[in-house]
């Protein structure tokens, strides 16, 4: 009974938060609703028995990705009127996207109902044999069966990261860099000197 | 506790009641501990500055925090007119709730743990990564310059140090072989000869030092309290807050500091185990060992706060990204290499 209550709670909150993500007028509120949706989705994951995925969802999406979203959205100077404009123009495209997403969801439901995949069972019970921990099961698959693909994914991410750094990096000549080693090595007697300058000659401007 | 209640109630109700009791059993002493630790912090700080500290309310000033709490409770909650009201009030609640949530997986004694879950350590990471939102939402919803600057500083700082904390924790998990907090404590039993604790391991000792420093940065304690740098940012993200909303930030901050101290104890110093694996030391209950360790780390936190000047922001970022991240990454390689070499995983 507790599971059922928790499921309906999390599912309803996920749906409501998802709807409010789209409907709220303020983009910052949208991101915050998105975070609520992520969090409740993590709750659903726990209910299915995938606690590792749930924690990763919170750590990666809520803890890192959404913070960056929030950063960007908060610092943009958003004109709310301009956001509303172009609704009619973009409407057909939006409908198209929505139709594609709906078709995907329906196909997903159909596949699970058909029982073609071994990913999960329709009644929500975890396919992992009892007694195996989530992390061990995922680790065994990732580092055993799919080791090559996993490593390739890592290399691709590394290349993407280096690419992003190279593209956005610019050498700035007009700022003085901080040399921490030199700053730490400085001693008082080399930092301050007592001078006895003549009147009007003490400063060079 | 569930068994105890299921004598009279159906299982679901018994479970619910037992969990509720467990939560209250942790939350109430924790609140009391936070009130007392604020007093301790002020006393230590005062002693290091050759002052007396709070000494008027109650014997030795012990009731100072409660007097402050009462005062704050009676004040008016001021909500500035330009704020985003709902978020403005929600932010301190989030901070405070999140500060309490992570305590669910801290083992206080052999079986005394509210949620003995497989992914305990990941849960701690997940919950502590939620803490950013209390700060960032407060800064944004205040609709004021200084809180906003502070919120951006705080979130950049917390994200930066979470990365190295993650790698440090991976070293611990590799050695313990589990994410379960109780399992991590038990894995430290007579880890090096008779010593209980990963910290006595030469490969993990540097990790502990880095974890302690990262913990200070993560909880925004001095010398990393740039978010509350009063010379630059008034009072940081809490500038616009008053009365109980302000107090929630205050309590949440100290609850987080205590949590960091508890994590130091649990992950590196053997948690509820005594420092030496001698039978006579097990006569002292485990929670006393844990509390003694927490207190020791809190003393270190206070000591550092009283003696070390505040970092500059670029120094803070440099330490996080250019020193801690590469070093912790190196130690992940070293630790996993050593464990493979010695056949730890076989």
């Amino acid at each position: 009974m507790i599971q059922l209550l928790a499921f309906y709670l999390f599912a309803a909150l996920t749906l409501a938060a998802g709807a409010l993500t789209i409907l709220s007028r303020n983009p910052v509120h949208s991101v915050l609703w998105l975070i609520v949706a992520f969090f409740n989705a993590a709750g659903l994951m726990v209910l299915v028995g995938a606690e590792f995925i749930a924690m990763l969802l919170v750590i990666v999406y809520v803890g890192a990705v959404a913070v960056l979203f929030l950063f960007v959205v908060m610092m943009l100077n958003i004109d709310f009127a301009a956001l509303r404009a172009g609704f009619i123009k973009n409407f057909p495209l939006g409908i198209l996207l929505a139709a594609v997403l709906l078709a995907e969801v329906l196909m997903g439901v159909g596949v699970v109902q058909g029982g073609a995949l071994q990913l999960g069972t329709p009644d929500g019970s975890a396919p992992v044999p009892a007694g195996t921990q989530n992390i061990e099961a995922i680790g065994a698959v990732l580092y055993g069966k799919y080791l090559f693909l996993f490593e390739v994914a890592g290399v691709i991410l590394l290349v993407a990261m280096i690419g992003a750094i190279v593209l956005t990096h610019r050498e700035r000549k007009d700022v003085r860099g901080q040399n921490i080693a030199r700053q730490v090595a400085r001693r008082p007697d080399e930092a301050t000197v007592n001078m006895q300058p003549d009147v009007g000659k003490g400063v060079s401007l | 506790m569930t068994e105890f209640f299921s004598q009279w109630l159906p299982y679901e109700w018994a479970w619910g009641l037992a969990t509720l009791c467990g939560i209250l059993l942790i939350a109430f002493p924790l609140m009391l501990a936070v009130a007392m630790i604020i007093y301790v912090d002020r006393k230590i700080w005062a002693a290091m500055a050759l002052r007396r500290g709070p000494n008027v309310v109650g014997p030795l000033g012990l009731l100072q925090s409660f007097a402050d709490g009462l005062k704050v409770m009676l004040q008016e909650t001021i909500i500035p007119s330009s704020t985003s009201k709902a978020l403005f009030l929600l932010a301190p609640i989030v901070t405070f709730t999140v500060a309490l949530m992570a305590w669910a997986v801290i083992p206080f004694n052999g079986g005394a743990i509210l949620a003995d879950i497989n992914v305990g350590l990941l849960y701690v990471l997940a919950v502590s990564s939620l803490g950013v939102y209390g700060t960032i939402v407060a800064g944004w919803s205040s609709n004021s310059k200084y809180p906003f600057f502070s919120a951006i500083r705080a979130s950049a700082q917390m994200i930066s140090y979470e990365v190295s904390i993650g790698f440090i924790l991976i070293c611990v998990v590799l050695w313990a072989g589990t994410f379960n907090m109780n399992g991590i404590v038990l894995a430290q039993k007579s880890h090096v000869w008779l010593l209980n604790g990963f910290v006595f391991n030469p490969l993990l000792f540097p990790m502990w030092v880095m974890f302690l420093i990262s913990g200070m940065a993560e909880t925004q304690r001095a010398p990393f309290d740039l978010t509350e740098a009063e010379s630059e940012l008034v009072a940081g993200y809490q500038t616009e807050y008053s009365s109980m909303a302000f107090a929630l930030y205050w309590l949440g901050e100290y609850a987080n500091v205590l949590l960091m101290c508890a994590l130091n104890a649990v992950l590196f110093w053997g948690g509820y185990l005594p420092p030496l694996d001698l039978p006579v030391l097990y006569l002292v209950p485990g929670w006393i060992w844990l509390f003694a360790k927490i207190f020791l780390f809190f003393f270190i936190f206070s000591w550092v706060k009283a003696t070390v000047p505040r970092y500059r922001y670029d120094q803070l970022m440099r330490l996080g990204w250019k020193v801690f991240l590469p070093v912790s990454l190196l130690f992940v390689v070293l630790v996993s290499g050593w464990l493979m070499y010695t056949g730890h995983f076989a």
Side-chain angles (χ1 to χ4, degrees), chain B residues 185 188 196-197 200 261-262 264-266 268-276 286-300:
Chain B
V185 171
Q188 299 177 48
N196 291 331
F200 304 110
C261 299
N264 267 296
V266 169
F268 287 96
W269 287 81
Y272 53 80
L273 300 174
L276 277 170
W287 56 272
I288 290 185
W289 285 118
L290 181 69
F291 287 0
K293 286 167 186 173
I294 291 177
F295 194 79
L296 176 74
F297 293 121
F298 188 80
F299 179 75
I300 295 178

Side-chain angles (χ1 to χ4, degrees), chain A residues 107-131:
Chain A
M107 274 165 68
V109 170
V111 166
V112 173
Q113 294 280 342
L117 283 178
Q118 292 297 312
L119 290 176
T121 41
D123 61 346
S125 62
V128 185

Side-chain angles (χ1 to χ4, degrees), chain A residues 1-2 26 28-29 32 35 39 51-52 55 58-59 62-63 66-68 70-71 74-75 133 135 178 180 183, chain B residues 12 15 84 87 118-119 122-123 125-126 129-130 132-133 136-137 140 148 152 155-156 159 179 312 314-315 318:
Chain A
M1 197 200 50
I2 298 169
N26 192 328
V28 174
H29 293 177
L32 292 173
I35 292 160
F39 200 68
E51 71 264 13
F52 180 60
M55 292 304 146
V58 176
I59 293 172
V62 179
V67 174
L68 296 181
L70 204 55
F71 245 60
M74 267 176 18
M75 288 200 271
Q133 281 190 24
I135 305 172
Q178 304 280 349
I180 300 285
Q183 289 175 6
Chain B
E12 275 99 356
W15 178 83
S84 170
L87 288 178
N118 290 338
V119 286
L122 284 174
Y123 172 83
L125 266 184
S129 71
L130 283 178
V132 179
Y133 289 106
I136 199 167
V137 168
W140 182 79
F148 190 58
I152 287 176
S155 33
I159 293 173
F179 275 99
R312 224 168 44 209
D314 67 293
Q315 292 172 331
R318 177 183 166 274

Side-chain angles (χ1 to χ4, degrees), chain B:
Chain B
M1 216 189 297
T2 309
E3 287 88 55
F4 176 72
F5 285 119
S6 36
Q7 293 168 12
W8 303 287
L9 290 165
Y11 179 77
E12 275 99 356
W13 288 96
W15 178 83
L17 199 60
T19 311
L20 194 67
C21 286
I23 291 170
L24 293 180
L25 266 179
I26 293 176
F28 275 125
L30 182 64
M31 299 294 18
L32 195 66
V34 165
M36 289 326 290
I37 216 75
I38 290 174
Y39 164 79
V40 169
D41 193 30
R42 293 175 66 177
K43 272 289 190 196
I44 294 172
W45 204 7
M48 294 205 185
L50 297 180
R51 292 181 286 114
R52 283 183 194 282
N55 64 348
V56 176
V57 190
L60 300 172
L62 272 169
L63 299 176
Q64 180 66 48
S65 296
F66 300 100
D68 288 346
L70 195 66
K71 186 195 84 174
V72 153
M73 201 93 84
L74 295 174
Q75 278 173 339
E76 181 193 356
T77 307
I78 299 167
I79 303 174
S81 59
S82 59
T83 53
S84 170
K85 211 175 195 174
L87 288 178
F88 185 78
L89 290 176
L90 201 62
I93 299 174
V94 168
T95 303
F96 185 68
T97 315
V98 163
L100 293 183
M101 265 166 76
W103 285 89
V105 292
I106 301 289
F108 292 97
N109 206 340
I113 176 170
L114 180 63
D116 195 10
I117 51 177
N118 290 338
V119 286
L121 194 52
L122 284 174
Y123 172 83
V124 172
L125 266 184
V127 167
S128 70
S129 71
L130 283 178
V132 179
Y133 289 106
T135 313
I136 199 167
V137 168
W140 182 79
S141 66
S142 291
N143 204 358
S144 160
K145 284 188 203 68
Y146 294 117
F148 190 58
F149 286 147
S150 164
I152 287 176
R153 273 190 182 186
S155 33
Q157 179 176 341
M158 285 164 97
I159 293 173
S160 306
Y161 280 86
E162 244 158 47
V163 179
S164 57
I165 284 185
F167 281 119
I168 293 167
L169 296 187
I170 284 178
C171 294
V172 173
V173 167
L174 279 172
W175 220 297
T178 175
F179 275 99
N180 181 299
M181 299 293 265
N182 214 4
I184 290 174
V185 171
L186 291 178
Q188 299 177 48
K189 196 168 175 179
S190 48
H191 183 61
V192 181
W193 298 304
L194 273 180
L195 296 163
N196 291 331
F198 282 142
V199 72
F200 304 110
N201 183 326
L203 265 178
L204 290 176
F205 177 74
M207 291 294 93
W208 170 65
V209 175
M210 282 169 56
F211 186 73
L212 188 71
I213 300 172
S214 300
M216 284 172 197
E218 184 74 11
T219 50
Q220 289 149 23
R221 283 281 290 192
F224 305 108
D225 57 343
L226 286 133
T227 54
E228 289 154 45
E230 51 284 272
S231 49
E232 301 159 23
L233 293 175
V234 193
Y237 54 88
Q238 14 175 302
T239 304
E240 305 290 343
Y241 282 91
S242 55
S243 80
M244 214 46 216
F246 172 75
L248 282 183
Y249 273 115
W250 210 25
L251 297 174
E253 197 183 309
Y254 275 91
N256 269 327
V257 170
L258 280 181
L259 178 74
M260 267 300 158
C261 299
L263 283 180
N264 267 296
V266 169
L267 298 175
F268 287 96
W269 287 81
Y272 53 80
L273 300 174
L276 277 170
D277 197 24
L278 297 174
V280 63
L281 289 178
Y282 284 94
L283 293 177
V284 181
W287 56 272
I288 290 185
W289 285 118
L290 181 69
F291 287 0
K293 286 167 186 173
I294 291 177
F295 194 79
L296 176 74
F297 293 121
F298 188 80
F299 179 75
I300 295 178
F301 269 61
S302 284
W303 185 7
V304 168
K305 178 182 172 180
T307 48
V308 182
R310 186 178 290 136
Y311 263 54
R312 224 168 44 209
Y313 200 71
D314 67 293
Q315 292 172 331
L316 173 87
M317 283 293 146
R318 177 183 166 274
L319 186 69
W321 289 106
K322 291 189 176 172
V323 181
F324 280 4
L325 182 60
V327 173
S328 55
L329 208 53
L330 175 74
F331 269 85
V332 170
V333 175
L334 280 181
V335 166
S336 48
W338 173 257
L339 291 177
M340 281 305 269
Y341 177 69
T342 53
H344 184 82
F345 298 123

